[in-house]
Amino acid sequence: MSDELHRMLRAELLAERRPPLGDVVGDAIRDGRRIRRNRRLGASGAGLVVAGIVAAAAMTVGNRGVAAAPRPAAPAAAAPATASTPGSVPPATAEPPTLPAPRTLTVLSGTQRAGVMQMKATSAAMLHLLTTLLPPGRTSHYAVAADDHLHVQLYLDDGAGPGMVRVSVGQASAAARKAAAARGGKTTVTVTHAEGNCVQDTVVGAARPDGTVVQVDVATCLAWDGTSNPPARPALTEAQAVRVAADPRWGVTMDGQLVALGAKQFPGGLPEFS
């Protein structure tokens, strides 16, 4: 029975028309490839959309000035080095020093005390008077000019090194005395500077009404040592030199007491300077 049934089922199946399956495997492969391709395109498109959204958000935040990461600053361009080559810089020309302009002062001179015995002035008396008019310091190198006994020199050292001062006394001409008398008892003091002359770097001249002329030379060097005049600091300021020159006790005749004190202070005579 079973064999008969088996034959019947087989005959029926063989009589049936085969279904049109076609290339089921090939179609399945192609469909699979198409599905995967569509998925990749979809994923890529979604990524682009997300990236666009993020970029737009970053631009919006940046425009609002909130928490935007600073862009690295571009390195500053280094300044070109300027190399100085020999001859590229013109040599500096030393300007000659500008000396102070001469100035003239009018001061009350005073007169020598009436009744004081006047004696012929001496270099020793001048040096003695000069030491009383100087600011504090140690004095040395007393000397007198070889050709004029009323032209004296000394050094003054206030602790900062010696400086040289020279004083000369003379009598003005008759015309100058007449002009001085017209000033009415006043002394005219003139301050000048001798260019290139270290012995007379500052010159203070006083013209008195009686015709007495006093000159104080403030040097920036010392006396000639046989080779040169060694440089030195000025021993007096202009104001101090004016005070010395304007003192009324200077003259071709001086107080007899000053003459006596000078002789006592310098009993053995004085060396000469040229």
Side-chain angles (χ1 to χ4, degrees):
M1 178 115 180
S2 59
D3 291 338
E4 184 65 22
L5 179 60
H6 178 70
R7 284 194 297 272
M8 290 175 62
L9 291 174
R10 183 178 180 186
E12 184 177 356
L13 290 173
L14 290 175
E16 290 290 335
R17 188 177 179 180
R18 298 182 62 181
L21 295 176
D23 191 1
V24 176
V25 176
D27 291 341
I29 293 174
R30 285 191 294 272
D31 290 341
R33 288 175 177 174
R34 183 176 64 254
I35 293 170
R36 289 193 296 272
R37 183 171 60 251
N38 291 339
R39 285 177 180 174
R40 286 196 303 269
L41 291 176
S44 300
L48 291 175
V49 171
V50 172
I53 294 172
V54 172
M59 291 177 63
T60 302
V61 171
N63 290 336
R64 292 177 181 176
V66 179
R71 299 179 61 185
T82 56
S84 177
T85 58
S88 62
V89 179
T93 56
E95 297 184 359
T98 303
L99 296 176
R103 59 193 182 95
T104 301
L105 311 173
T106 301
V107 298
L108 292 176
S109 173
T111 58
Q112 295 179 346
R113 290 174 298 171
V116 175
M117 182 180 64
Q118 296 292 303
M119 298 180 63
K120 183 179 179 180
T122 64
S123 54
M126 290 180 61
L127 283 170
H128 175 75
L129 175 58
L130 181 56
T131 58
T132 66
L133 296 174
L134 295 175
R138 185 177 68 88
T139 56
S140 63
H141 292 75
Y142 310 105
V144 60
D147 57 348
D148 185 357
H149 74 286
L150 297 184
H151 189 184
V152 297
Q153 162 198 292
L154 60 70
Y155 289 4
L156 174 65
D157 188 347
D158 62 358
M164 186 171 69
V165 179
R166 289 178 176 175
V167 178
S168 62
V169 175
Q171 191 70 24
S173 64
R177 289 196 301 270
K178 184 177 180 180
R183 290 194 293 268
K186 294 181 181 179
T187 297
T188 300
V189 179
T190 303
V191 181
T192 58
H193 300 268
E195 182 178 1
N197 185 351
C198 66
V199 174
Q200 294 180 317
D201 183 79
T202 300
V203 178
V204 178
R208 291 218 307 263
D210 61 359
T212 301
V213 177
V214 183
Q215 179 171 308
V216 178
D217 299 331
V218 182
T220 54
C221 60
L222 302 178
W224 185 262
D225 62 3
T227 304
S228 63
N229 290 93
R233 53 179 293 277
L236 300 176
T237 65
E238 284 189 6
Q240 291 169 337
V242 168
R243 176 177 175 269
V244 171
D247 191 279
R249 289 172 290 178
W250 296 112
V252 293
T253 63
M254 298 179 68
D255 185 336
Q257 187 176 2
L258 290 174
V259 175
L261 290 173
K264 184 177 180 180
Q265 185 176 358
F266 303 100
L270 293 164
E272 297 179 347
F273 68 87
S274 55

